[in-house]
C-alpha cells in the first residue's frame, strides 16, 4: 500500500460519493474541490468564514454546513449536483440529517423557547414540523440514528462531566444513556452503525454490532465501514495534558499509528508507508479499497491504498 497527498489545497474536511467513488473537500475558506490524482477541479468558489463543521448526506450529494459563531451558528447546504449553496432559515440553532436526504432534525429558535422539529428541505422555503415545543437540551451535538433515535451529546471537555441522551422521535421519550463522564466525546460513523465513545484522560471505546474495542485515541481518528474498523492512535500522549481540550484547541499535534479490527483477523497494526511526520490524522473514511484522511499537521487530504495490500501485524489487546 502507498500513501498519496490527494488535495492541492488544505482541507477543512472532505466527503465521498459512494455511487461514483468521487472524493470532494472543502477548504478552510469554503472553496470546494473535487480531489483528483492530477489537478483538483474547483467546484465552488463562494467564500465562507469561520467553518464549524460539515456533515454529508448519506448519498454524498448534499453537505450540511455550520459556520460563523459556534454559539449561534448559521447553517447552509451545498448541492453537489447543482453546485450551489442553499442558505437555511436563520432560526435554526442546531441541525443534523434526518431519516432521509430530504429532511433535517433541528432545534429551532422561537419566541422565548427552542423547539425540536423535522425540517423538509425539499420544499422552498423549507417547512417545519414541530416534534417538541420546548426542547431544553442546549449546547449539544445532534446525531440521528435510524430509524427513530436522536442522540444528543454534550460538548466534550475535561472540565465537564458530560452526558448522552437518546430521544425516540416516535414515542417522544428521552433516556439518559451516559451520565457524568469526564471529557465525554461521542461520534458515529457515516451509516450510524458504530459509536466512538471517548472519556478522559485518553480512553476510547468503539462500539459496533460485533465488538467493543478499547483504543487510546479520539473519536475523530476512527472509522467503521463494511467489516472493518480503522483507528489512528497517537503515539505521543504525554502526562500533564488536559484532554481532550488540548487536542481540540490544537495545543499539541499527535503522531499516529494505524490499527484495523476485523472479525476474521482481530486487531492488527497497519504498516504505514513513509510519510512526512508528524501524521495527525482526522476524520478517516474508508471507501472501497482506499482510506482517506486529513493530516492536521499540514491540513492536506491523503489517500492510503490499496488497503487489501497493506502489511498488517496481529496484536493483542
Amino acid at each position: 500500500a502507498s500513501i498519496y497527498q490527494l488535495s492541492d489545497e488544505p482541507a477543512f474536511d472532505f466527503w465521498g460519493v459512494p455511487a461514483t467513488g468521487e472524493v470532494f473537500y472543502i477548504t478552510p475558506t469554503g472553496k470546494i474541490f473535487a480531489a483528483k490524482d492530477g489537478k483538483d477541479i474547483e467546484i465552488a468558489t463562494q467564500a465562507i468564514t469561520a467553518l464549524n463543521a460539515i456533515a454529508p448526506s448519506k448519498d454524498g450529494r448534499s453537505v450540511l454546513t455550520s459556520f460563523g459563531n459556534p454559539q449561534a451558528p448559521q447553517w447552509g447546504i451545498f448541492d453537489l449536483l447543482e453546485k450551489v449553496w442553499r442558505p437555511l432559515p436563520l432560526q435554526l440553532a442546531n441541525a443534523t440529517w434526518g431519516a432521509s436526504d430530504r429532511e433535517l432534525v433541528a432545534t429551532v429558535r422561537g419566541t422565548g423557547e427552542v423547539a425540536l422539529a423535522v425540517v423538509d428541505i425539499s420544499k422552498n422555503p423549507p417547512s417545519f414540523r414541530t416534534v417538541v415545543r420546548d426542547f431544553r437540551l442546549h449546547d449539544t451535538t445532534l446525531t440521528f440514528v435510524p430509524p427513530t433515535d436522536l442522540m444528543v451529546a454534550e460538548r466534550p471537555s475535561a472540565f465537564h462531566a458530560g452526558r448522552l441522551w437518546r430521544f425516540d422521535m416516535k414515542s417522544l421519550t428521552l433516556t439518559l444513556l451516559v451520565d457524568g463522564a469526564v471529557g465525554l466525546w461521542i461520534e458515529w460513523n457515516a451509516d450510524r452503525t458504530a459509536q466512538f465513545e471517548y472519556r478522559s484522560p485518553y480512553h476510547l471505546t468503539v462500539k459496533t454490532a460485533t465488538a467493543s474495542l478499547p483504543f487510546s485515541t479520539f473519536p475523530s481518528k476512527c472509522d467503521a465501514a463494511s467489516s472493518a474498523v480503522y483507528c489512528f492512535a497517537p503515539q505521543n500522549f504525554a502526562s500533564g495534558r488536559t484532554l481532550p481540550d488540548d487536542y481540540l484547541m490544537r495545543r499539541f499535534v499527535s503522531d499516529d499509528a494505524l490499527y484495523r479490527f476485523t472479525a476474521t483477523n482481530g486487531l492488527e497494526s497497519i504498516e504505514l508507508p513513509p510519510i512526512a511526520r508528524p501524521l495527525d490524522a482526522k476524520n478517516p473514511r474508508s471507501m472501497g479499497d482506499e482510506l482517506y484522511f486529513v493530516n492536521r499537521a499540514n491540513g492536506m487530504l491523503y489517500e492510503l491504498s490499496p488497503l487489501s495490500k497493506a502489511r498488517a501485524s496481529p496484536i493483542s489487546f
Side-chain angles (χ1 to χ4, degrees), residues 140-207:
T140 56
T141 58
L142 306 177
T143 305
F144 183 77
V145 179
T148 62
D149 290 341
L150 178 67
M151 312 300 285
V152 184
E154 293 182 319
R155 300 186 186 278
S157 174
F159 301 100
H160 176 69
R163 292 170 292 180
L164 171 70
W165 293 268
R166 180 181 63 226
F167 180 73
D168 189 313
M169 300 281 289
K170 184 176 182 180
S171 66
L172 305 185
T173 55
L174 182 69
T175 304
L176 180 63
L177 299 180
V178 179
D179 185 17
V182 174
L184 184 68
W185 179 358
I186 303 284
E187 290 192 14
W188 279 262
N189 66 334
D191 62 6
R192 310 297 187 253
T193 57
Q195 175 187 320
F196 310 116
E197 180 181 307
Y198 171 90
R199 302 184 187 209
S200 293
Y202 42 76
H203 182 81
L204 176 135
T205 301
V206 181
K207 299 178 180 179

Side-chain angles (χ1 to χ4, degrees), residues 92-160:
L92 258 64
N94 201 351
T96 187
W97 290 104
S100 75
D101 294 341
R102 299 184 302 276
E103 69 178 40
L104 306 175
V105 179
T107 53
V108 183
R109 288 182 288 265
T111 304
E113 61 186 20
V114 177
L116 181 69
V118 174
V119 186
D120 186 343
I121 57 173
S122 68
K123 297 181 179 178
N124 190 15
S127 65
F128 295 81
R129 176 174 63 83
T130 299
V131 178
V132 178
R133 293 196 174 278
D134 191 7
F135 195 71
R136 296 179 178 272
L137 301 178
H138 308 310
D139 196 26
T140 56
T141 58
L142 306 177
T143 305
F144 183 77
V145 179
T148 62
D149 290 341
L150 178 67
M151 312 300 285
V152 184
E154 293 182 319
R155 300 186 186 278
S157 174
F159 301 100
H160 176 69

Side-chain angles (χ1 to χ4, degrees), residues 149-276:
D149 290 341
L150 178 67
M151 312 300 285
V152 184
E154 293 182 319
R155 300 186 186 278
S157 174
F159 301 100
H160 176 69
R163 292 170 292 180
L164 171 70
W165 293 268
R166 180 181 63 226
F167 180 73
D168 189 313
M169 300 281 289
K170 184 176 182 180
S171 66
L172 305 185
T173 55
L174 182 69
T175 304
L176 180 63
L177 299 180
V178 179
D179 185 17
V182 174
L184 184 68
W185 179 358
I186 303 284
E187 290 192 14
W188 279 262
N189 66 334
D191 62 6
R192 310 297 187 253
T193 57
Q195 175 187 320
F196 310 116
E197 180 181 307
Y198 171 90
R199 302 184 187 209
S200 293
Y202 42 76
H203 182 81
L204 176 135
T205 301
V206 181
K207 299 178 180 179
T208 72
T210 57
S212 179
L213 310 171
F215 288 94
S216 294
T217 190
F218 302 117
S220 60
K221 292 182 176 291
C222 293
D223 181 46
S226 300
S227 58
V229 176
Y230 290 92
C231 276
F232 287 90
Q235 304 302 289
N236 59 333
F237 277 126
S239 61
R241 299 206 183 276
T242 302
L243 300 175
D245 304 63
D246 283 355
Y247 184 76
L248 292 168
M249 298 300 290
R250 301 185 69 91
R251 296 188 184 114
F252 85 98
V253 173
S254 72
D255 195 15
D256 299 344
L258 176 61
Y259 300 95
R260 175 174 63 196
F261 177 84
T262 62
T264 302
N265 296 328
L267 187 63
E268 301 172 298
S269 174
I270 302 298
E271 181 179 317
L272 292 174
I275 183 175

Side-chain angles (χ1 to χ4, degrees), residues 35-90:
K36 301 295 182 182
D37 290 336
K39 183 176 176 57
D40 296 343
I41 300 173
E42 192 167 5
I43 303 296
T45 60
Q46 179 176 332
I48 294 178
T49 57
L51 278 169
N52 296 319
I54 71 167
S57 60
K58 185 176 181 180
D59 64 6
R61 304 292 187 183
S62 302
V63 182
L64 177 65
T65 307
S66 165
F67 57 95
N69 181 354
Q71 303 303 316
Q74 294 178 263
W75 296 83
I77 290 177
F78 181 74
D79 186 319
L80 193 59
L81 294 178
E82 298 187 16
K83 298 180 174 59
V84 294
W85 282 100
R86 304 187 187 281
L88 291 169
L90 293 177

